[in-house]
RNA sequence: UGUCCGAUGGUGUAACUGGCAACACAACUGAUUCUGGAUCAGUAGAGUCUAGGUUCGACCCCUAGUCGGACAACCA
């Protein structure tokens, strides 16, 4: 069994196995290192599942570390949401919660080591000057006039940077590497900048903050990380990552890069998600149309489905765009097994059973989940006046229409077979207002006659017993793929789907009253829904998680 | 006119490290069903970016191209 699994290792596992075999490392210790500057999205979920999954698979450990080296972008709100989301996904960092800001003192000492070695210096150039003298990818940069300051001068200046003597932007600490390096990141990168800003954890203790490159590898090293897994854009940073470790003389983790997740019709940039929230294109980070973990959660996704999705998409180094239909498959697969069925009518038309006694009410027995016997049954009231879905009736049926039509028969789920006799239309609009039918008393579910073949089965709700509810029909937020391509300034407005959120008032069978926020169910033939957090007694609110298979694309094709 | 990385069906990921390209999603067909769902059975779809080379044999190794991505924040 173990050997069979060994056949389909991903490239990261191959590297790890190789390292373990060669004794480069003797254990596996990974970390998930988000910057607390926004909410986590499905792309982070891939990384979380990867890192924590590897930790578990190799009987190792995984840390949660906040990469909080830029106080102007980071907030406690984000820290809290990230911890909540990681936990919700089902992962546990146990007692290994860290912050890069925990290492500010240590990092400062590392910088001093470099200064003493002559491989770091204080530079007085402005950001613009540094940028100009860095050159371009194809042209080498120019050396800073401050590059050859003495160790003593650098030590003195760096200490004074720390004490707050200099204004923001007036000086930086840079590594002294190679201004002609073909790798831009090796052209005397900035290690520390002056930022008189309040940090969400260290407050005003520091006014100089390390850059990502100077903090990340060292943080990995301090924590004893063996495999530091990050996304592809950090590939060109790896020489620098290794350079700092070597130059300071630290234990060396191995950085491995993988391709980040792209989902069709979905924006996965934190910056743009933030913009969507700030400019009210959506109603917050947990808007169910958002690809954020909290959005998916509110939408009705389960942690299991997301973990399974991450597992299914795999991990590699080539750019990829995963089709939404795979994510949808994963959630349907999970919800199909776990969610109870319930009857709801979103777009009602009244059906009157002319031969059904005026005041009679029957309790029809319904199976809660045909996929799971243990979920039991429930009673649903049935009476003379019902609602069915308007689309489930067609006066003149087309050849492939299996549902109710004039003169035709259809089965009401868990009820009777009915036959349509006539329809009444609104004289003004011409719209059908009532469908008059007769029911066949011998065809009640369970009775011998009920086995009679009829072409279709409809879901229904008793008009006088139904509960009304607000149902939010979430669709994809974007109608075009790769909205990232749009020009600056209107990144995604052009692609926004005006129908991404439709709200209808639906009629639902009375058992809906018992549901609590967060509960997931399948509206018979309509899709998977969950009870929204906005639900309060007397006002039910449902979110559509996902439609049943294919109906989006089918309706698109029409 | 640079450095680094990548290239396998419509989409993703595999291929025992050189042995006749597999799995999942999507698509299609049929069976079944009191959900046009689910389930079950089946079909189609790539010869692995190109051109050379090594080899009995190449998705895998070598050479040269082509195409795509990343890199020029005091962001991460």
């Amino acid at each position: 069994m173990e050997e069979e699994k060994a056949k389909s290792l991903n490239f990261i596992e191959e590297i790890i196995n190789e390292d373990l075999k060669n004794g480069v490392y003797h254990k596996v210790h990974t970390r998930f290192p988000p910057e607390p500057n926004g909410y986590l999205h499905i792309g982070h979920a891939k990384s979380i599942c990867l890192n924590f999954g590897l930790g578990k698979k190799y009987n190792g450990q995984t840390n949660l570390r906040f990469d909080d080296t830029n106080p102007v972008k980071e907030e406690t709100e984000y820290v809290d949401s990230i911890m909540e989301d990681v936990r919700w996904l089902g992962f546990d960092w146990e007692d290994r919660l860290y912050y890069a800001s925990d290492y500010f003192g240590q990092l400062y000492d590392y910088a001093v080591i470099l200064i003493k070695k002559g491989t770091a210096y204080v530079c007085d150039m402005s950001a613009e000057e540094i940028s100009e003298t860095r050159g371009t990818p194809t042209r080498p940069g120019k050396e800073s006039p401050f590059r050859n300051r003495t160790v003593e001068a650098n030590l003195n200046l760096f200490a004074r940077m720390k004490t707050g003597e200099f204004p923001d932007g007036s000086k930086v600490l840079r590594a002294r590497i190679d201004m002609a390096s073909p790798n831009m990141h090796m052209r005397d990168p900035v290690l520390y900048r002056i930022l008189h800003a309040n940090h969400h954890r260290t407050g005003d203790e520091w006014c100089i903050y390390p850059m990502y490159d100077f903090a990340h590898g060292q943080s990995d090293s301090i924590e004893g990380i063996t495999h530091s897994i990050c996304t592809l854009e950090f590939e060109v940073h790896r020489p620098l990552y290794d350079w700092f470790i070597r130059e300071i003389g630290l234990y060396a983790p191995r950085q491995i890069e993988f391709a980040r997740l792209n989902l069709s019709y979905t924006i996965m940039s934190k910056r743009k998600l933030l913009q969507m929230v700030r400019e009210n294109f959506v109603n917050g980070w947990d808007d169910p149309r958002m690809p954020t973990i909290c959005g998916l959660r509110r939408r009705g996704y389960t942690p299991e489905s997301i973990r399974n999705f991450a597992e299914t998409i795999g991990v590699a180094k080539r750019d990829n765009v995963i089709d939404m239909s795979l994510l949808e498959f994963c959630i349907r697969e999970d919800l199909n097994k776990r969610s109870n069925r319930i009857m709801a009518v979103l777009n009602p038309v009244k059906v009157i059973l002319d031969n059904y006694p005026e005041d009679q009410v029957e309790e029809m027995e319904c199976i809660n989940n045909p996929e799971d016997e243990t979920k039991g049954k429930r009673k649903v009231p049935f009476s003379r006046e019902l609602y069915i879905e308007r689309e489930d009736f067609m006066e003149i049926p087309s050849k492939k229409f299996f549902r109710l039509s004039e003169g035709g028969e259809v089965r009401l789920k868990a009820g009777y077979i009915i036959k349509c006799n006539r329809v009444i239309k609104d004289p003004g609009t011409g719209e059908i207002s009532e469908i008059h039918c007769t029911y066949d008393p011998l065809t009640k579910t369970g009775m011998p006659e009920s086995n009679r073949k009829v072409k279709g089965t409809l879901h229904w709700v008793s008009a006088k017993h139904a509960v009304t509810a607000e149902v939010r029909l979430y669709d994809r937020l974007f109608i075009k793929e790769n909205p990232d391509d749009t020009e600056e300034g209107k990144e995604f407005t052009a692609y926004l789907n005006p129908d991404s959120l439709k709200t209808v008032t639906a009629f639902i069978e009375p058992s809906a009253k018992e549901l609590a926020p967060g509960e997931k169910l399948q509206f018979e033939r309509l899709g998977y829904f969950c009870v929204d957090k906005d639900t309060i007694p007397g006002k039910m609110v449902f979110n559509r998680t996902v439609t049943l298979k294919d109906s989006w694309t089918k309706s698109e094709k029409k």
Side-chain angles (χ1 to χ4, degrees):
Chain A
M1 177 152 171
E2 280 296 312
E3 281 176 36
E4 271 183 47
K5 276 185 182 172
K7 280 189 179 179
S8 60
L9 295 181
N10 63 47
F11 82 101
I12 296 178
E13 292 166 339
E14 282 179 15
I15 293 172
I16 291 176
N17 286 349
E18 200 63 13
D19 281 346
L20 259 20
K21 194 178 95 190
N22 298 335
V24 180
Y25 303 105
H26 302 285
K27 57 165 187 172
V28 172
H29 198 151
T30 56
R31 101 268 92 114
F32 174 62
E35 180 188 15
N37 67 344
Y39 281 67
L40 260 26
H41 55 63
I42 182 81
H44 295 106
K46 175 181 180 180
S47 173
I48 293 167
C49 292
L50 225 195
N51 278 295
F52 280 92
L54 251 17
K56 195 173 290 181
K57 177 165 186 169
Y58 285 90
N59 243 304
Q61 298 181 313
T62 304
N63 298 357
L64 174 63
R65 179 173 74 236
F66 288 98
D67 223 335
D68 55 351
T69 57
N70 185 5
V72 304
K73 284 191 175 179
E74 296 149 8
E75 291 173 28
T76 307
E77 175 197 349
Y78 298 134
V79 171
D80 296 339
S81 77
I82 288 169
M83 292 199 282
E84 183 187 358
D85 290 346
V86 174
R87 252 185 246 130
W88 178 77
L89 275 174
F91 298 104
D92 186 3
W93 55 88
E94 296 171 340
D95 58 344
R96 294 178 307 279
L97 171 63
Y98 301 110
Y99 295 82
S101 53
D102 290 341
Y103 312 133
F104 282 169
Q106 183 74 264
L107 261 11
Y108 180 86
D109 294 340
Y110 290 158
V112 169
I113 291 175
L114 294 187
I115 294 173
K116 286 180 177 166
K117 285 184 74 175
T119 50
Y121 63 97
V122 173
C123 179
D124 298 359
M125 289 199 293
S126 67
E128 297 72 48
E129 289 170 317
I130 289 179
S131 172
E132 281 161 20
T133 52
R134 183 157 13 236
T136 70
T138 53
R139 244 186 293 258
K142 288 190 186 72
E143 293 187 352
S144 162
F146 306 98
R147 200 170 196 259
N148 296 316
R149 285 218 248 234
T150 63
V151 169
E152 290 66 35
N154 282 319
L155 247 19
N156 174 276
L157 255 12
F158 187 50
R160 287 162 61 195
M161 278 169 65
K162 184 190 175 198
T163 56
E165 189 175 323
F166 308 116
D168 288 1
S170 59
K171 285 179 168 41
V172 291
L173 184 72
R174 300 176 72 177
R176 196 171 186 279
I177 308 179
D178 178 8
M179 288 308 291
S181 170
N183 183 340
M184 296 291 290
H185 296 279
M186 301 299 276
R187 322 242 260 232
D188 289 14
V190 172
L191 273 43
Y192 268 91
R193 75 282 216 185
I194 301 173
L195 233 42
H196 291 267
N198 188 274
H199 186 280
H200 69 105
R201 290 190 74 244
T202 61
D204 296 321
E205 191 187 339
W206 293 85
C207 63
I208 56 172
Y209 292 93
M211 300 291 292
Y212 164 85
D213 285 308
F214 194 68
H216 201 93
Q218 288 88 312
S219 300
D220 284 340
S221 182
I222 291 168
E223 293 175 17
I225 300 302
T226 56
H227 301 271
S228 177
I229 299 163
C230 61
T231 45
L232 242 34
E233 66 267 30
F234 293 105
E235 210 159 24
V236 283
H237 292 244
R238 184 161 14 110
L240 186 55
Y241 181 108
D242 294 338
W243 189 90
F244 284 130
I245 296 287
R246 194 182 337 115
E247 216 48 41
I248 301 167
L250 299 173
Y251 153 80
R254 178 196 296 283
Q255 175 177 306
I256 303 170
E257 309 85 10
F258 70 97
R260 62 158 18 117
L261 166 69
N262 293 295
L263 249 192
S264 58
Y265 306 107
T266 309
I267 278 183
M268 215 75 92
S269 137
K270 261 197 204 177
R271 202 198 102 239
K272 289 178 182 173
L273 293 177
L274 177 64
Q275 191 186 348
M276 288 198 288
V277 172
R278 290 223 171 121
E279 296 177 12
N280 296 313
F281 289 105
V282 293
N283 305 313
W285 288 99
D286 69 343
D287 186 301
R289 292 164 294 179
M290 290 284 271
T292 50
I293 306 289
C294 55
L296 291 168
R297 176 167 62 228
R298 187 171 174 193
R299 174 110 177 212
Y301 274 73
T302 59
E304 291 82 356
S305 68
I306 294 175
R307 276 189 259 127
N308 188 44
F309 173 71
E311 179 77 21
T312 306
I313 59 177
V315 53
K317 290 189 79 165
R318 67 174 130 164
D319 292 329
N320 61 83
V321 182
I322 308 283
D323 202 287
M324 273 291 289
S325 62
L326 184 57
L327 214 211
E328 292 177 349
F329 166 80
C330 290
I331 185 58
R332 283 192 199 103
E333 184 187 42
D334 190 32
L335 257 19
N336 178 46
K337 280 179 282 184
R338 79 198 314 156
S339 57
N340 286 342
R341 275 56 173 168
I342 191 171
M343 290 200 280
V345 175
L346 299 189
N347 182 19
V349 63
K350 190 168 271 187
V351 165
I352 298 171
L353 304 177
D354 293 321
N355 61 339
Y356 196 87
E358 194 88 39
D359 299 317
Q360 184 172 317
V361 177
E362 286 181 84
E363 294 289 328
M364 299 307 196
E365 198 166 63
C366 289
I367 293 166
N368 282 328
N369 186 346
E371 311 288 324
D372 184 354
E373 296 284 323
T374 68
K375 293 288 172 61
K377 297 176 177 178
R378 69 183 187 287
K379 303 269 205 232
V380 182
F382 182 91
S383 65
R384 188 171 191 265
E385 296 195 2
L386 310 167
Y387 289 119
I388 65 166
E389 217 64 59
R390 192 167 280 279
E391 301 84 77
D392 285 348
F393 180 83
M394 197 178 263
E395 275 188 276
I396 304 141
S398 56
K399 59 261 168 225
K400 286 238 170 179
F401 189 78
F402 311 162
R403 289 163 278 170
L404 192 59
S405 55
E406 202 148 11
E409 274 195 322
V410 78
R411 184 192 308 280
L412 294 178
K413 179 152 185 88
Y416 296 96
I417 291 175
I418 62 169
K419 180 176 183 178
C420 169
N421 301 314
R422 66 198 166 94
V423 298
I424 294 176
K425 293 183 184 174
D426 182 300
T429 61
E431 198 177 56
I432 294 169
S433 55
E434 287 178 0
I435 301 171
H436 284 263
C437 299
T438 48
Y439 83 109
D440 181 346
L442 298 176
T443 58
K444 184 173 175 178
T445 293
M447 295 176 98
E449 269 293 294
S450 71
N451 288 329
R452 211 170 86 216
K453 286 266 180 191
V454 284
K455 50 185 176 181
T457 302
L458 303 188
H459 58 278
W460 51 271
V461 128
S462 167
K464 72 177 162 207
H465 300 94
V467 175
T468 58
E470 180 184 328
V471 175
R472 298 171 180 165
L473 302 174
Y474 290 106
D475 198 341
R476 60 174 77 109
L477 185 53
F478 297 98
I479 36 183
K480 191 161 175 173
E481 255 179 87
N482 301 328
D484 278 7
D485 295 345
T486 340
E487 36 180 306
E488 193 74 23
K490 45 175 187 175
E491 279 86 347
F492 38 74
T493 51
Y495 298 121
L496 233 33
N497 177 2
D499 297 325
S500 64
L501 172 55
K502 275 187 225 150
T503 299
V504 300
T505 300
F507 293 106
I508 307 184
E509 59 169 79
S511 67
K513 276 184 260 184
E514 328 263 305
L515 300 168
E519 280 196 59
K520 295 159 179 59
L521 53 223
Q522 185 192 109
F523 285 178
E524 206 74 57
R525 278 228 353 267
L526 298 173
Y528 294 99
F529 290 76
C530 77
V531 182
D532 190 75
K533 63 175 186 183
D534 286 352
T535 287
I536 50 168
K539 188 199 172 217
M540 301 289 303
V541 179
F542 291 88
N543 293 328
R544 180 167 70 190
T545 307
V546 63
T547 57
L548 257 27
K549 191 186 175 187
D550 212 21
S551 50
W552 274 350
T553 46
K554 266 185 185 165
S555 57
E556 260 174 23
K557 280 175 190 168
K558 280 176 189 172

